[in-house]
């Protein structure tokens, strides 16, 4: 991964970490990577090293653990960032400090350490793990002296150094090294939103206005991948284009008579909830919105499903007589299915962002938003995630339809009761059963749509062999309005 970084910063090579650090790691700083075993410290440090090390910018990885270098390299080779050439040409050197520390003590270790620093003159240094020195020191005074000498020498050589260790909060508060280092980054694994997740947090970084929040990440074949939607998914005011004299650019859905209810149309950059209990037609409305956009208006659309597979969605479209296959083949429609048990909210927010941008989608359907955030217990976090979904739509200057299921018998217009405060509009789908002929009547209502003079009231909605058919109740509403005006005039006379 190549990311633009200022001249006084080091590109981490880790997706979104440069943004969290507002430009990368400051050069010449001494940074502690703290976390429990298996949290990702070693992979993170080596990913940074392989990203930056060259023959002109050499790096040394000092190992203090019992694991031999050959075994370390065997593990490293599974990652895409690994480059054997950088080891062969001397760009990266591995040095074992563990054996001499255990057998001859800290003084001999510092001598070996400095001999390699003077010989190679590295720009980058990793010590994995620094906490071993604490365990092997004979006293706090010896540890303090050793730590101070190592840090002073690294500063004199203007090295950027990463000290790895299983440091706890107590260590951060009491270990003498933390009084002189420039940065602290913690990595941890904890149970969150119904599953175990990894999190990274920049506690301290001198000279940097960094994000101070915890961000989830995963370790895959690329190394660390940080999601950080609070940093990477942000509203762009200039994205809200205005057509002089006519307000925002607007879209026509292409769905039978729905545009008649929407008045001037939906402003680009808007997100709408499509709310209703099961069986009211939410998925079909979203699917037709995507299909009509591609077929009738040439607008690319993307359908994210967390409930039905891609194959079932395509089969549903074919059942309506729609030639969805040709639109998919043309690249106008993309359907992405993520099974409900596999949902990782921050990971899939980033995935959606990437797919929307790469496709240039102007219509976005999410079926359903309530399933997407179902693991979250805190309504305020639900609100934040729906806001981030809406932000993806706003930045793309697209139109988003987010399905949300309402519990039977509830008076809410969304699953969690907070989603409608974030979006620009709400389309409410309802249904009632007719006992006399055992049929179901469906209705649609434009409950809310910002900056748009839409038609109020409920309107009949049927699902036909070719899609959704809406029968507007406009004439009756107009007739009632006229009768009210006549009655008012009579009273006046």
């Amino acid at each position: 991964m190549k990311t633009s970084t200022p001249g006084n910063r080091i590109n981490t090579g880790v997706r979104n970490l440069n943004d969290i650090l507002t430009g990368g790691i400051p050069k010449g700083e001494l940074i502690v990577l703290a976390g429990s075993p298996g949290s990702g410290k070693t992979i993170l440090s080596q990913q940074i090293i392989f990203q930056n090390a060259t023959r002109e910018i050499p790096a040394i990885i000092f190992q203090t653990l019992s694991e031999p270098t050959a075994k370390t390299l065997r593990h490293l080779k599974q990652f895409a960032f690994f480059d054997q050439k950088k080891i062969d040409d001397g760009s990266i050197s591995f040095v074992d400090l563990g054996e001499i520390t255990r057998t001859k003590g800290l003084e001999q270790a510092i001598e070996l350490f400095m001999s390699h620093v003077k010989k190679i003159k590295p720009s980058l240094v990793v010590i994995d793990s620094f906490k071993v020195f604490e365990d092997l020191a004979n006293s706090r005074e010896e540890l303090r002296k050793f730590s101070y000498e190592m840090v002073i020498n690294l500063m004199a050589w203007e090295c950027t150094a990463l000290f790895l260790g299983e440091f706890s909060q107590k260590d951060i508060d009491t270990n003498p090294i933390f009084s002189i280092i420039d940065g602290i980054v913690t990595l941890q694994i904890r149970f969150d939103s119904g599953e175990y997740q990894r999190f990274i947090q920049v506690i301290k970084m001198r000279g940097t206005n960094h994000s101070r929040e915890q961000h989830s990440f995963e370790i895959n074949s690329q190394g660390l991948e940080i999601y950080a939607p609070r940093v990477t998914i942000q509203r762009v005011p200039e994205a809200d284009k205005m057509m002089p004299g006519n307000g925002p650019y607007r879209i026509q859905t292409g769905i039978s008579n729905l545009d008649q209810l929407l008045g001037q149309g939906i402003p680009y950059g808007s997100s709408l909830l499509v709310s209703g209990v099961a069986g009211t037609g939410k998925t079909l409305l979203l699917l037709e919105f995507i299909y009509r956009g591609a077929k009738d208006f040439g607008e690319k659309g993307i359908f994210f499903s967390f409930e039905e597979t891609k194959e079932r969605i395509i089969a549903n479209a074919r059942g309506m007589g729609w030639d969805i296959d040709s639109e998919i083949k043309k690249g106008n429609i993309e359907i992405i299915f993520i099974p409900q048990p596999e949902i990782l909210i921050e990971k899939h927010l980033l995935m959606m962002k990437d797919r929307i941008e790469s496709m240039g989608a102007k219509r976005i359907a999410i079926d359903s938003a309530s399933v997407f955030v179902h693991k979250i217990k805190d309504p305020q976090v639900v609100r934040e995630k729906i806001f981030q979904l809406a932000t993806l739509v706003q930045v793309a200057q697209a139109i988003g339809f987010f399905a949300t299921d309402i519990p039977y018998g509830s008076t809410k217009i969304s699953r969690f009761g907070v989603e409608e405060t974030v979006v620009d509009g709400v389309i409410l789908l309802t249904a009632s059963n007719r006992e006399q002929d055992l049929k179901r009547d469906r209705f649609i209502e434009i409950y809310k749509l910002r900056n748009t003079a839409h038609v109020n009231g409920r309107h009949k909605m049927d699902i036909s062999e070719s899609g959704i058919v809406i029968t507007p109740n406009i004439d009756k509403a107009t007739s009632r309005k006229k009768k009210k005006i006549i009655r008012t005039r009579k009273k006046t006379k």
Side-chain angles (χ1 to χ4, degrees), residues 103-141:
T103 59
K104 298 185 178 180
L106 296 184
E107 285 192 14
Q108 293 295 315
I110 197 71
E111 288 183 13
L112 178 61
F113 171 82
M114 283 312 304
S115 68
H116 282 279
V117 170
K118 290 175 182 177
K119 177 183 176 182
I120 296 175
K121 300 180 178 61
S123 297
L124 301 163
V125 169
V126 170
I127 302 175
D128 184 10
S129 145
F130 194 87
K131 198 171 192 302
V132 170
F133 299 128
E134 178 181 345
D135 298 333
L136 296 176
N138 294 319
S139 66
R140 297 291 292 176
E141 183 58 34

Side-chain angles (χ1 to χ4, degrees), residues 255-373:
I255 297 174
S256 165
N257 290 325
L258 179 57
D259 294 312
Q260 190 176 350
L261 304 181
L262 292 170
Q264 298 168 286
I266 306 171
Y268 279 105
S270 300
S271 298
L272 285 76
L273 281 185
V274 178
S275 303
V277 299
T280 50
K282 299 186 297 297
T283 297
L284 186 60
L285 179 67
L286 266 64
L287 185 55
E288 186 164 358
F289 168 69
I290 294 295
Y291 176 70
R292 298 296 176 195
K295 183 178 181 296
D296 300 338
F297 300 98
E299 291 189 324
K300 293 185 176 183
I302 191 164
F303 192 107
F304 296 104
S305 174
F306 301 100
E307 300 190 49
E308 295 191 357
T309 64
K310 178 179 178 178
E311 291 72 23
R312 288 192 65 178
I313 291 168
I314 292 174
N316 290 340
R318 290 172 182 161
M320 293 289 119
W322 303 338
D323 188 12
I324 194 169
D325 297 271
S326 65
E327 297 301 328
I328 292 173
K329 187 175 181 180
K330 292 175 189 175
N332 290 333
I333 293 178
E334 185 175 0
I335 299 171
I336 298 171
F337 171 60
I338 299 102
Q340 183 173 331
E342 297 178 13
I343 295 172
L344 292 171
I345 292 172
E346 299 206 341
K347 173 183 178 178
H348 287 116
L349 274 169
L350 186 62
M351 179 274 289
M352 285 189 264
K353 177 177 182 288
D354 290 342
R355 300 299 280 267
I356 290 167
E357 290 176 353
S358 63
M359 185 187 196
K362 286 300 174 184
R363 297 192 180 209
I364 300 162
I366 297 177
D367 188 23
S368 69
S370 50
V371 171
F372 180 60
V373 298

Side-chain angles (χ1 to χ4, degrees), residues 175-190:
N175 192 307
I177 190 177
F178 287 95
S179 64
I180 48 181
I181 57 95
D182 303 295
I184 303 171
V185 178
T186 62
L187 298 91
Q188 61 174 294
I189 304 172
R190 74 164 191 268

Side-chain angles (χ1 to χ4, degrees), residues 235 269 271 385-395 402 422:
R235 294 267 166 154
S271 298
K385 297 309 170 186
I386 299 298
F387 179 81
Q388 288 168 350
L389 286 174
T391 298
L392 293 179
V393 174
Q394 187 264 353
V395 171
F402 306 160
V422 176

